Amino acid sequence: MNICIDGARPAAPMSCQERRLGRVAIVIVVGSERNCGLLSEGNLRVVRMVCGGFTCSKNALIALNVVYILVGLLLIGVAGWGKSYGIVSSINIIGGVIAVGVFLLLIAIVGLVGAVNHHQVMLFFYMVILFLVFVIQFGVSCSCLALNRSQQEHLLKLTWNRMSNTTRQDLEHQLNCCGFMNDTENIVTYGTDYQMCKALCKSIHCETCGNVMLTHAGEALRILGGVGLFFSFTEILGVWLAMRFRNQKDPRANPSAFL
């Protein structure tokens, strides 16, 4: 295994010599020393990129921020779907998920612009804010996954009791259900709601709105918690990659420019 320097050819029979030529690239060559002289500039660029050079770090950071944009849109979309059904409006953590999605979307755009332009200031604020987003997103995602069915039912019941009769009827028509829960604890409220219910299913058989809402709420919380928790760990990778890329020298820049 020999070391070959970009632009330097070996002086036979010696192995490749190290020379500083302004733009130095170290390439590990397996085989005899004559292979050093056969390496082209194009091959050297490929080796630099594979070894984690400037271009490789830039492309990786750009790709990671594109993923963050998609994740942010997914979090906002799923949380908005839950709130549009009126099934998780009482679960305040859903609002936290939307906030995390918005912040992740904005900081991903900042990181994307900073990576394309190798902008030092934008990359610095990107690292700091992305770490804060990681902390918040990790906590919110764990809370989504930790919220069990009884806790969800309690929160949804508080919301149902605060609703007016008109709002309940609209929700029953939208979800095609009647009443909140048909159990001993809610039997009086259920009887009143069932009499005023105008859902289409009333002529056949109606499922309680509590069960319908719990099903949708459980799905929304599992999706938000799982996606948020998984991609929160990739944000640590984003912070490290941005820090690494920020300290790398752009090969096209002025050699005397400040890093």
Side-chain angles (χ1 to χ4, degrees):
M1 181 177 292
N2 300 315
I3 298 178
C4 179
I5 308 301
D6 186 5
R9 292 179 179 272
M14 298 176 61
S15 59
C16 299
Q17 305 276 328
E18 180 177 350
R19 302 177 187 176
R20 298 191 174 275
L21 301 173
R23 288 176 60 186
V24 180
I26 299 178
V27 181
I28 304 300
V29 180
V30 179
S32 61
E33 53 270 3
R34 65 175 178 270
N35 292 332
C36 298
L38 299 177
L39 289 173
S40 65
E41 180 65 24
N43 293 333
L44 290 173
R45 291 196 186 99
V46 172
V47 174
R48 289 192 196 102
M49 185 174 66
V50 172
C51 294
F54 179 87
T55 304
C56 181
S57 299
K58 178 180 180 179
N59 293 337
L61 192 58
I62 291 174
L64 196 60
N65 281 285
V66 171
V67 173
Y68 289 160
I69 291 176
L70 297 178
V71 173
L73 293 175
L74 178 63
L75 293 176
I76 296 172
V78 175
W81 166 76
K83 293 185 75 69
S84 67
Y85 268 86
I87 55 179
V88 287
S89 59
S90 62
I91 304 178
N92 295 328
I93 199 171
I94 298 298
V97 172
I98 295 178
V100 168
V102 172
F103 275 110
L104 185 60
L105 181 63
L106 295 177
I107 195 60
I109 295 175
V110 172
L112 195 61
V113 176
V116 171
N117 298 320
H118 198 224
H119 197 285
Q120 298 291 314
V121 177
M122 294 184 73
L123 289 173
F124 173 77
F125 284 105
Y126 169 78
M127 291 187 300
V128 175
I129 299 177
L130 186 62
F131 180 77
L132 296 177
V133 171
F134 158 75
V135 174
I136 299 173
Q137 183 175 333
F138 181 81
V140 171
S141 300
C142 291
S143 300
C144 288
L145 296 175
L147 205 61
N148 57 39
R149 183 179 177 88
S150 61
Q151 293 171 330
Q152 296 174 29
E153 181 178 347
H154 175 71
L155 293 173
L156 292 173
K157 182 180 179 181
L158 293 177
T159 302
W160 184 270
N161 292 334
R162 289 199 299 262
M163 289 181 181
S164 63
N165 291 332
T166 303
T167 305
R168 290 182 184 180
Q169 292 173 8
D170 292 339
L171 186 60
E172 287 170 342
H173 183 267
Q174 182 181 4
L175 300 179
N176 198 25
C177 58
C178 287
F180 180 69
M181 283 291 183
N182 186 14
D183 52 21
T184 305
E185 185 179 354
N186 303 285
I187 188 64
V188 178
T189 306
Y190 176 80
T192 305
D193 292 336
Y194 190 84
Q195 291 178 358
M196 295 186 297
C197 181
K198 298 179 180 179
L200 299 177
C201 65
K202 190 175 181 179
S203 58
I204 307 174
H205 173 71
C206 278
E207 190 175 358
T208 59
C209 294
N211 289 328
V212 175
M213 290 190 291
L214 284 172
T215 300
H216 288 290
E219 292 177 356
L221 290 174
R222 282 194 298 271
I223 294 173
L224 294 173
V227 172
L229 185 63
F230 176 80
F231 284 99
S232 65
F233 292 106
T234 66
E235 290 163 9
I236 295 296
L237 174 63
V239 172
W240 173 81
L241 194 60
M243 184 183 303
R244 184 174 182 273
F245 177 65
R246 186 171 177 267
N247 293 325
Q248 285 180 325
K249 186 74 172 180
D250 188 347
R252 297 169 300 178
N254 183 3
S256 61
F258 178 72
L259 279 174

